[in-house]
Amino acid sequence: MASRYELELIISSAKDLKNVNWRHGSLKPYVVVWVDPAAKLSTKVDNEGDTFPCWNETLLIPVPSRIEDSTLYLDVVHFKADDEDDTKPVVGSARLFLRHVVDDVGFGAQAVRTLELRHPSGRPQGKVEVKVSVRDASYPAPESTYATPCVDQVVKKEEAEVVKVSVHGKSHIMPTKKLGRRECQLVTFDLPYLAFYYNQKLLFYKGCDFEDMVGKLKAGLGVVLEEFYQLAGKLEKDEDGVFKVVYDDEMEGVEVLEASADHISVSHLTDVESTSMMKDMLPHTQVLNFEGLHKPLLVLQFTKLRDGLAMGCAFNHAVLDGTSTWHFMSSWAEICRGADSASVPPFLDRTKVRKTRVKFDLPLNPTASNPNGTSEPPPPLLRERIFRFSESQINQIKSTLNKTPSDGSKPFSTFQSLSTHVWLAVTRARQLKPEDVTVYTVFANCRKRVDPPMPESYFGNLIQAIFTVTAAGLLYANPPEFAAAMIQKAIVTHDAKVINKRNDNWESNPIIYQFKDAGVNSVVVGSSPRFKVYDVDFGFGKPERVRSGSNNRFDGMVYLYQGKTGGGSIDVEITLEAGTMERLEKDKEFLMEV
């Protein structure tokens, strides 16, 4: 006969567990629960959390007796390996009288409890966080027996080539107060990026209560959009064909997706090289920026992981650059931590830096192969790889390059030194002929270069590509200082006069660039190690890892991030043709193994 009642139990996490496996290593705990000893259920094993595990699992437990006579029993158990025969597996036990739950919250409502685990001697062994609700059973509880969790329940890195993600919810977030209609013209610094793809970022956070984390993120987002409202708008063209970003209270706002991949832990993903494994955690893949005419300018996806959250972000690159992206992210995090508003409001008037109204009648057809109608060769097979340089390695690269003075000019900066190191190594790995041309491109922040200078809080695109061009043979024949001096000169001389001339030329003949139009044999640097990406703390800790998505990747694309370890460490995220990457991985000079 089926039970009249069932217990919905969410086993969230535990803390301060006694490590009963201390002789052999870390704790690998799981939880066994029951009301009826003949129907015991268990969670999966947490192989990563040790004495502070997260499970975030929901179990439905049959209640065969009257509520007044029923008790929930809970054991935390260590998953023993074959060589751990001397380990006693039970960490501790707890119990909860169901009548107390019903007395406190009634039937169907959820009660949150912290259960103290006890050794049979009465000694405390840690605490378990659970959420409990007692309700009428709408269907028989699933059959189960007390068993050690199956081996296939334990997530293994080598078995998970592609993360399966299930999207189960979509909502839209608007500013928390009415703002009316606002609009701002896109300017010359914005328009060249209309045919780039949305800029994707992926951040991983540890945490046990996904719903609480998402609730906090959504609440903070509504507040931060009061000042960064352009991200809740759309692109439009006025009667003259000039692009603008428009916000109106009747628009949908920022799109937020909620998804699950709770069979995967955060640590499983933080060291994965290729973002293709995580592509379903990132929204708006292969969506072009000009599609912001009918799509949201910012799309977020919060994916529930086994012990945390993956935050996938897609920003319309025609609306903002990297500096503005991380200004928004840090402001949002600041509000989630309790601030009433952003400590540094965005500077939103783009026309202060450029007023020219540029009309576009150019076709924007992303599916067209090329203007001649001929087919293009298939793209090369690409690989991604992260190379992590410690602070001491960065200092070594910089000091080695600065041993020989460069014609009385300033010492080479950290960026110029690392750029030289990467450019030379990629050129070697490509095995270019001496006569082959190679291009090093950096998208430089122009906020302090324009006249008059703009504040760092300028919201929009205020970057320009700076090109350094030479023959591969000259790089081979000269010491590294040669390449560093060229990069330094190109960056230093890119002043307000050069910027204005570039803009004048573009406005006289507007060209919509695509992400791949970076130059022959190019190495192109996006992002910056100056962005404090690991300071983006929404109130549940700093990110475990920050990555770029698959959009706008091509042979030679490089993203630089501050290292997770802090200090002066830098992560270099490179995309190259597969054969080139294989040779780069064996370059001891690049890897600093010589």
Side-chain angles (χ1 to χ4, degrees), residues 10-23:
I10 301 175
I11 305 174
S12 301
S13 61
K15 60 182 179 180
D16 299 320
L17 295 183
K18 175 72 173 178
N19 185 2
V20 297
N21 192 46
W22 60 271
R23 294 182 182 87

Side-chain angles (χ1 to χ4, degrees), residues 328-557:
F328 166 77
M329 293 293 285
S330 61
S331 299
W332 180 18
E334 186 179 20
I335 288 170
C336 287
R337 294 196 307 271
D340 293 329
S341 60
S343 58
V344 182
F347 182 89
L348 294 170
D349 189 354
R350 300 164 191 252
T351 60
K352 293 295 184 183
V353 74
R354 196 80 180 178
K355 293 184 178 180
T356 309
R357 290 172 53 81
V358 182
K359 179 181 178 180
F360 278 113
D361 291 320
L362 301 176
L364 294 172
N365 182 4
T367 62
S369 56
N370 61 52
N372 298 322
T374 59
S375 61
E376 294 183 344
L381 176 64
L382 300 179
R383 276 189 56 205
E384 305 162 33
R385 174 72 192 272
I386 303 172
F387 298 92
R388 297 190 171 92
F389 291 89
S390 65
E391 182 176 12
S392 62
Q393 289 174 318
I394 294 294
N395 289 337
Q396 182 181 341
I397 293 170
K398 185 176 179 181
S399 61
T400 300
L401 201 59
N402 281 294
K403 282 182 178 178
T404 305
S406 56
D407 302 328
S409 61
K410 293 181 179 180
F412 299 120
S413 67
T414 296
F415 176 82
Q416 294 160 8
S417 301
L418 183 59
S419 293
T420 301
H421 189 72
V422 172
W423 190 19
L424 295 179
V426 172
T427 302
R428 291 193 299 268
R430 282 175 168 161
Q431 299 178 333
L432 299 182
K433 298 177 182 179
E435 64 271 21
D436 289 338
V437 171
T438 177
V439 183
Y440 191 85
T441 305
V442 55
F443 286 90
N445 183 357
C446 295
R447 285 164 174 78
K448 299 304 180 187
R449 299 172 187 266
V450 294
D451 186 19
M454 291 289 110
E456 280 299 296
S457 60
Y458 175 95
F459 188 79
N461 287 284
L462 200 35
I463 55 176
Q464 270 191 351
I466 299 176
F467 304 98
T468 303
V469 185
T470 192
L474 292 175
L475 296 182
Y476 296 149
N478 288 283
E481 293 83 0
F482 172 78
M486 285 193 297
I487 294 173
Q488 184 184 65
K489 182 179 179 181
I491 292 174
V492 170
T493 58
H494 199 81
D495 56 15
K497 183 178 179 180
V498 174
I499 292 169
N500 285 333
K501 184 177 180 180
R502 175 88 64 85
N503 285 336
D504 290 340
N505 291 338
W506 189 87
E507 289 165 0
S508 67
N509 182 30
I511 298 174
I512 300 298
Y513 297 107
Q514 295 187 39
F515 70 94
K516 59 186 179 181
D517 296 332
V520 62
N521 298 320
S522 62
V523 177
V524 182
V525 177
S527 192
S528 168
R530 293 183 178 180
F531 298 152
K532 303 299 182 184
V533 299
Y534 286 103
D535 289 345
V536 181
D537 179 357
F538 292 93
F540 33 83
K542 296 182 178 183
E544 297 296 316
R545 188 69 69 200
V546 178
R547 296 291 304 274
S548 296
S550 59
N551 281 357
N552 300 319
R553 286 188 183 273
F554 54 91
D555 182 17
M557 188 67 215

Side-chain angles (χ1 to χ4, degrees), residues 95-96 222 237 557:
R95 66 181 182 178
L96 177 65
K237 293 176 73 174
M557 188 67 215

Side-chain angles (χ1 to χ4, degrees), residues 162-326:
V162 178
V163 177
K164 295 182 180 179
V165 177
S166 174
V167 177
H168 51 71
K170 181 169 73 171
S171 59
H172 294 86
I173 304 296
M174 290 286 284
T176 52
K177 65 181 181 182
K178 298 292 185 181
L179 300 174
R181 182 176 174 85
R182 311 278 182 95
E183 58 183 66
C184 185
Q185 171 192 325
L186 294 187
V187 298
T188 307
F189 290 98
D190 301 308
L191 297 171
Y193 304 105
L194 280 167
F196 279 49
Y197 293 118
Y198 272 61
N199 195 13
Q200 296 174 315
K201 300 298 175 187
L202 183 60
L203 300 86
F204 296 102
Y205 290 91
K206 284 285 190 74
C208 294
D209 194 330
F210 177 77
E211 288 75 16
D212 181 68
M213 295 168 80
V214 170
K216 179 180 290 187
L217 289 167
K218 285 184 174 182
L221 181 60
V223 176
V224 77
L225 287 175
E226 293 177 12
E227 296 178 287
F228 291 84
Y229 57 82
Q230 290 183 4
L231 290 174
K234 290 272 179 42
L235 296 182
E236 287 187 8
K237 293 176 73 174
D238 65 18
E239 62 278 4
D240 296 325
V242 176
F243 276 88
K244 57 185 177 179
V245 57
V246 175
Y247 170 82
D248 190 278
D249 290 333
E250 301 304 314
M251 292 180 173
E252 288 188 328
V254 174
E255 183 174 293
V256 178
L257 304 173
E258 293 181 42
S260 295
D262 48 9
H263 58 292
I264 296 290
S265 65
V266 171
S267 61
H268 183 87
L269 298 171
T270 52
D271 292 325
V272 171
E273 296 292 347
S274 175
T275 54
S276 62
M277 176 180 170
M278 302 173 282
K279 62 183 178 64
D280 290 339
M281 295 183 180
L282 286 154
H284 265 30
T285 298
Q286 298 294 294
V287 176
L288 294 162
N289 292 312
F290 79 85
E291 296 182 64
L293 289 165
H294 55 87
K295 292 181 181 289
L297 301 182
L298 171 59
V299 182
L300 302 168
Q301 180 173 319
F302 305 137
T303 302
K304 180 181 180 180
L305 303 178
R306 186 175 168 191
D307 57 351
L309 173 148
M311 178 188 294
C313 311
F315 295 90
N316 190 298
H317 201 342
V319 175
L320 77 170
D321 60 13
T323 298
S324 292
T325 293
W326 294 108

